[in-house]
Amino acid sequence: MFKLLLQHIQEKVTLTDQEKTQLEEYFIVKKLRKRQYLLQEGEVCKYMAFISSGVLKSYVIDEKGVETINFIGWEGWWMADSYSFYTGEKGILNIEAVEDAELLLLSKEKYDLMMITMPVMSTYFRILYERSLATKDRRILSNIAFNAEEKYTQVLTCYPELVDRIPQHLLASYLGLTPETVSRIKNKMK
C-alpha cells in the first residue's frame, strides 16, 4: 500500500532508506466501501488522504439538494477539505468513495510533526501545493472561458481514465454541465 505513495513522493524528491521506513509511522491505513464517507459537511477534516486505490469525490450540496463536485481523485492523488484540515474549523465538503478505496491517512498532528522531523517532506508538499494551485487556476479559467465541448475535451485529454471510471452525471457535475450536455458532446465526438 505504501509502494504507490513512495513512488509518488520520489517522483518529486529523494528519500533516504531511513526516511522511507520512517514515513510509514505517520500514516493510518483506511478502507472505504463505495458510497462510504471519509468526511461529511460540518465535521472537522482531521485527515489528509492519499488514495492508494479507488476513486473519491469531494462535493457540496446546495439548498436545493443539488450536488456539485469540487474535486475527483484517484490512485496517486491526495484529498482533504484543505481549509478545515489546516484551520481546524468545520468543513463544508463531503468526501465520499465513488469506488471501493484504500487510503493512507495523515492527521494534522502527524503532518506537523513530519514537516519538522522530515524536511524533505516539506519540500514534497510545497511542490504539490504549487502544482495544485496551478491546476486550480486552470480549472477556474476553464470554467470561465471554455465552452462545454472544450471543457469535456480538456478532461478527456488530461484525464482519459477518469471519463471511463466515473458515472456521467459525476463528470457533468465536475465540469459544471448537465448530464444531457455531456451525452450530446460524447455522441457528437463519436
Side-chain angles (χ1 to χ4, degrees):
M1 199 172 212
F2 281 90
K3 185 178 178 182
L4 182 59
L5 176 62
L6 287 172
Q7 177 186 333
H8 191 267
I9 292 169
Q10 294 200 123
E11 288 171 356
K12 293 154 188 67
V13 297
T14 303
L15 296 174
T16 66
D17 289 339
Q18 180 184 352
E19 288 168 333
K20 290 177 194 175
T21 304
Q22 183 183 0
L23 194 64
E24 290 188 30
E25 298 171 13
Y26 294 96
F27 290 88
I28 299 167
V29 175
K30 173 84 174 174
K31 292 184 180 191
L32 293 179
R33 293 178 314 282
K34 183 177 179 175
R35 294 189 190 96
Q36 187 175 2
Y37 287 96
L38 176 64
L39 179 71
Q40 289 186 280
E41 177 184 359
E43 297 175 346
V44 173
C45 183
K46 295 180 181 175
Y47 299 100
M48 185 183 305
F50 180 81
I51 305 170
S52 293
S53 68
V55 176
L56 273 66
K57 64 179 179 175
S58 69
Y59 61 94
V60 294
I61 298 175
D62 68 16
E63 65 280 348
K64 295 178 183 174
V66 176
E67 179 181 298
T68 302
I69 304 290
N70 173 53
F71 184 75
I72 298 171
W74 57 93
E75 293 85 3
W77 290 67
W78 287 89
M79 187 166 278
D81 181 326
S82 298
Y83 184 82
S84 177
F85 182 78
Y86 291 115
T87 65
E89 294 181 21
K90 291 180 181 179
I92 61 168
L93 294 174
N94 296 286
I95 300 177
E96 180 182 342
V98 175
E99 300 175 350
D100 289 350
E102 293 183 350
L103 312 172
L104 294 171
L105 302 182
L106 179 62
S107 70
K108 179 66 167 90
E109 295 77 20
K110 294 284 188 175
Y111 171 86
D112 289 341
L113 182 61
M114 183 191 297
M115 296 303 104
I116 295 167
T117 60
M118 296 180 69
V120 68
M121 292 304 292
S122 184
T123 301
Y124 166 74
F125 279 106
R126 180 188 51 77
I127 292 167
L128 287 186
Y129 299 144
E130 288 171 354
R131 291 181 182 177
S132 175
L133 182 59
T135 300
K136 284 183 181 187
D137 283 350
R138 289 211 176 205
R139 181 155 182 235
I140 291 168
L141 179 61
S142 166
N143 284 336
I144 295 169
F146 291 4
N147 66 34
E149 267 187 50
E150 290 168 330
K151 289 178 186 181
Y152 181 81
T153 302
Q154 183 181 32
V155 168
L156 190 60
T157 302
C158 296
Y159 310 113
E161 67 277 13
L162 181 64
V163 175
D164 294 330
R165 284 183 78 177
I166 64 169
Q168 187 168 297
H169 72 279
L170 293 183
L171 180 60
S173 176
Y174 178 73
L175 294 172
L177 305 172
T178 65
E180 295 79 17
T181 300
V182 171
S183 183
R184 279 193 299 273
I185 293 168
K186 286 171 86 173
N187 289 333
K188 184 178 177 184
M189 294 177 90
K190 286 184 182 177

